[in-house]
Amino acid sequence: MVGFGAALTDSSSKLLSELKSKNAGNYWALLKKLCDPTDGGSGAGFSYLRIPLGASYFSDSVYSFDDVSGDTSLSHFDIDKAPSYLFSTLNDIVGINSYLKIQITPWSPPGWMKDSGTMNGGKFYTSYSDVYTNYLLKCLQGYKSKGFDIWAISIQNEPLNSNPSYPTNLIDPFWESQVATKLRSLMNSNGFSGADVIGFDHNWSDADGYPVELMEDAESAFDGVSFHCYAGSVSDQDTFHNAYPSKNWSDVKWYSNNIFIGAVNHYARNAAVWNLALDGNRNPKLPGTTSCGGSDPCRGVVTIFSDGTYGLNQEFYAIAQASKAILPKDKGGPLGRHIKVDVGGNQNLVVSFFVTERTSSSDWNRYSLVVLNQRNDGKWDPVGIKATIEFRGKQATYTFPVGVTTVWWYAAPQ
């Protein structure tokens, strides 16, 4: 497994930075609650963050790292166009969790590379494919200059989405694969051979289309693809996995069933929700954006209030149950590995199973079950389900309450 977590948007990092200024004690307590990976500790050990490259619809303004029109040499590229509080907050998180994996993802190329002339909406000009490839390499180098190692970079967030109210960009599979092929080569020759290139980054419903075309065009360029949960169902991930089983990919009941248990059971190596933190009004958002509005606005994993306090939302608990199951048992040890589990009988139990190996071959491995009891029969009916856990010829019984439960035990490696 790579890890579980959320997106560190400009808005999330701004609110966290403001909390640090207003109430440093609460700030550090919150970061440790979210990210401390200490085995047996009280932290959830979030180990994966997804960060927009430039503006998203959770930014104060629209910006890229080079907004000088026609600057094909990228001489005006400046990683510090991102707000300073993004990097300072990220630095604090990395200081707490050294296992953290960071994925960077553009919501749009600079506007002058598109037919809209702005980052909001429009389609990528394919004549800028070489320039955009160099732009993405400079993003990797920019983060490196700030002291951050990048686990993965996406070519484009939601390449099938164009919305004139916030940064979005249309790019077809052929040209995404062309950019990825050139970027993979540049990364290999510029010290980023260990970083992954992620494709697609869009909905489950297109699992048998766009991402398959990427692999047909440039399989060797991509380490995997990423899926979002806004359309389709989690089982759609199987369509892609069955076609390309060697490729990696990832986007309290719904989250567990569809993302933190469900996505993993359908071959995902990591999973995340949207904003790490928002305020009580689920802001701040990009002025004028139509996304995350209406009757069901986006909610952060954490709500940060104006008085310097915070609250943990249901997303936190869904992530924490899965995250705690894969945290290293030993300092410097590996994260857990997903292994097969068979579930029979009551179909209200949804289960993922992990083994966490040890740094010493004489120590027993940790085995962890993350179990969702989704029984409610369309209403709140908190009835536990008694189940038998069978492992290596031995049995134990446990009554799983409605909700998510993580149990673990130790056994000699096999």
Side-chain angles (χ1 to χ4, degrees), residues 202-221:
H202 212 159
N203 289 329
W204 286 325
S205 56
D206 294 299
D208 61 349
Y210 196 113
V212 172
E213 290 185 55
L214 290 182
M215 297 304 111
E216 291 173 345
D217 288 338
E219 182 177 355
S220 63

Side-chain angles (χ1 to χ4, degrees), residues 22-86:
K22 185 172 295 184
N23 190 325
N26 277 0
Y27 171 79
W28 288 110
L30 174 57
L31 287 195
K32 289 178 181 178
K33 186 73 174 177
L34 292 170
C35 301
D36 188 350
T38 304
D39 181 64
S42 61
F46 288 15
S47 52
Y48 167 72
L49 288 179
R50 185 167 177 258
I51 303 176
L53 286 174
S56 71
Y57 51 95
F58 281 97
S59 298
D60 283 344
S61 62
V62 175
Y63 72 92
S64 75
F65 297 117
D66 190 342
D67 290 319
V68 177
S69 182
D71 182 24
T72 56
S73 66
L74 300 175
S75 58
H76 294 279
F77 182 96
D78 184 3
I79 198 67
D80 286 320
K81 292 293 185 68
S84 60
Y85 47 72
L86 171 66

Side-chain angles (χ1 to χ4, degrees), residues 330-397:
D330 305 310
K331 187 174 182 179
L335 272 72
R337 177 168 50 87
H338 185 242
I339 54 179
K340 188 177 185 296
V341 60
D342 294 315
V343 182
N346 198 314
Q347 296 304 302
N348 281 309
L349 294 182
V350 184
V351 184
S352 274
F353 191 29
F354 304 92
V355 57
T356 304
E357 295 170 343
R358 310 297 299 279
T359 55
S360 171
S361 59
S362 62
D363 290 333
W364 283 14
N365 291 339
R366 183 181 68 212
Y367 292 84
S368 304
L369 281 174
V370 183
V371 181
L372 167 67
N373 174 359
Q374 60 181 344
R375 179 177 178 178
N376 61 15
D377 299 323
K379 60 184 183 301
W380 176 242
D381 184 19
V383 178
I385 296 176
K386 187 176 182 179
T388 300
I389 302 169
E390 297 183 356
F391 180 79
R392 296 185 186 173
K394 299 183 183 298
Q395 294 184 341
T397 60

Side-chain angles (χ1 to χ4, degrees), residues 268-280:
R269 293 181 63 216
N270 58 298
V273 296
W274 198 192
N275 284 274
L276 184 62
L278 291 175
D279 67 18

Side-chain angles (χ1 to χ4, degrees), residues 200 202-212 225-244 249-250 254 257-258 262-268:
F200 187 48
H202 212 159
N203 289 329
W204 286 325
S205 56
D206 294 299
D208 61 349
Y210 196 113
V212 172
V225 299
S226 181
F227 289 106
H228 295 189
C229 62
Y230 303 115
S233 65
V234 66
S235 61
D236 292 330
Q237 295 180 172
D238 294 350
T239 304
F240 179 81
H241 172 79
N242 292 337
Y244 295 94
W249 41 279
S250 44
W254 192 93
N257 201 359
N258 287 278
V264 171
N265 286 349
H266 292 278
Y267 309 103

Side-chain angles (χ1 to χ4, degrees), residues 60-376:
D60 283 344
S61 62
V62 175
Y63 72 92
S64 75
F65 297 117
D66 190 342
D67 290 319
V68 177
S69 182
D71 182 24
T72 56
S73 66
L74 300 175
S75 58
H76 294 279
F77 182 96
D78 184 3
I79 198 67
D80 286 320
K81 292 293 185 68
S84 60
Y85 47 72
L86 171 66
F87 297 120
S88 60
T89 303
L90 182 57
N91 189 64
D92 288 344
I93 293 173
V94 171
I96 292 171
N97 191 336
S98 61
Y99 302 102
L100 189 75
K101 301 293 194 303
I102 301 169
Q103 179 177 346
I104 51 178
T105 304
W107 260 239
S108 172
W112 51 272
M113 297 186 190
K114 301 162 57 184
D115 63 4
S116 61
T118 172
M119 291 178 69
N120 293 356
K123 185 174 183 179
F124 178 62
Y125 278 135
T126 58
S127 58
Y128 284 113
S129 61
D130 287 344
V131 179
Y132 186 44
T133 302
N134 287 324
Y135 176 87
L136 294 176
L137 176 66
K138 282 183 172 290
C139 289
L140 286 163
Q141 293 169 331
Y143 267 81
K144 185 71 173 178
S145 72
K146 296 290 185 181
F148 302 114
D149 291 322
I150 297 302
W151 167 71
I153 183 170
S154 296
I155 303 300
Q156 172 62 48
N157 177 71
E158 298 184 350
L160 298 172
N161 181 24
S162 174
N163 187 311
S165 74
Y166 68 96
T168 48
N169 175 56
L170 297 173
I171 182 171
D172 64 40
F174 175 80
W175 286 103
E176 180 168 319
S177 66
Q178 290 296 299
V179 171
T181 298
K182 296 169 185 176
L183 181 61
R184 179 75 273 171
S185 178
L186 284 176
M187 288 168 63
N188 290 346
S189 58
N190 284 275
F192 297 99
S193 59
D196 289 354
V197 175
I198 304 298
F200 187 48
D201 231 329
H202 212 159
N203 289 329
W204 286 325
S205 56
D206 294 299
D208 61 349
Y210 196 113
V212 172
E213 290 185 55
L214 290 182
M215 297 304 111
E216 291 173 345
D217 288 338
E219 182 177 355
S220 63
F222 293 99
D223 297 274
V225 299
S226 181
F227 289 106
H228 295 189
C229 62
Y230 303 115
S233 65
V234 66
S235 61
D236 292 330
Q237 295 180 172
D238 294 350
T239 304
F240 179 81
H241 172 79
N242 292 337
Y244 295 94
S246 65
K247 292 295 177 180
N248 302 315
W249 41 279
S250 44
D251 199 76
V252 165
K253 173 183 173 181
W254 192 93
Y255 286 108
S256 298
N257 201 359
N258 287 278
I259 301 178
F260 298 104
I261 296 177
V264 171
N265 286 349
H266 292 278
Y267 309 103
R269 293 181 63 216
N270 58 298
V273 296
W274 198 192
N275 284 274
L276 184 62
L278 291 175
D279 67 18
N281 295 314
R282 305 185 184 185
N283 287 320
K285 292 198 293 284
L286 183 71
T289 183
T290 60
S291 189
C292 275
S295 61
D296 188 27
C298 297
R299 177 178 57 200
V301 175
V302 176
T303 298
I304 296 179
F305 300 103
S306 59
D307 63 358
T309 61
Y310 63 85
L312 303 173
N313 296 320
Q314 63 191 50
E315 290 85 351
F316 168 81
Y317 297 100
I319 300 168
Q321 291 284 358
S323 180
K324 295 283 278 188
I326 66 167
L327 289 178
K329 173 61 182 172
D330 305 310
K331 187 174 182 179
L335 272 72
R337 177 168 50 87
H338 185 242
I339 54 179
K340 188 177 185 296
V341 60
D342 294 315
V343 182
N346 198 314
Q347 296 304 302
N348 281 309
L349 294 182
V350 184
V351 184
S352 274
F353 191 29
F354 304 92
V355 57
T356 304
E357 295 170 343
R358 310 297 299 279
T359 55
S360 171
S361 59
S362 62
D363 290 333
W364 283 14
N365 291 339
R366 183 181 68 212
Y367 292 84
S368 304
L369 281 174
V370 183
V371 181
L372 167 67
N373 174 359
Q374 60 181 344
R375 179 177 178 178
N376 61 15

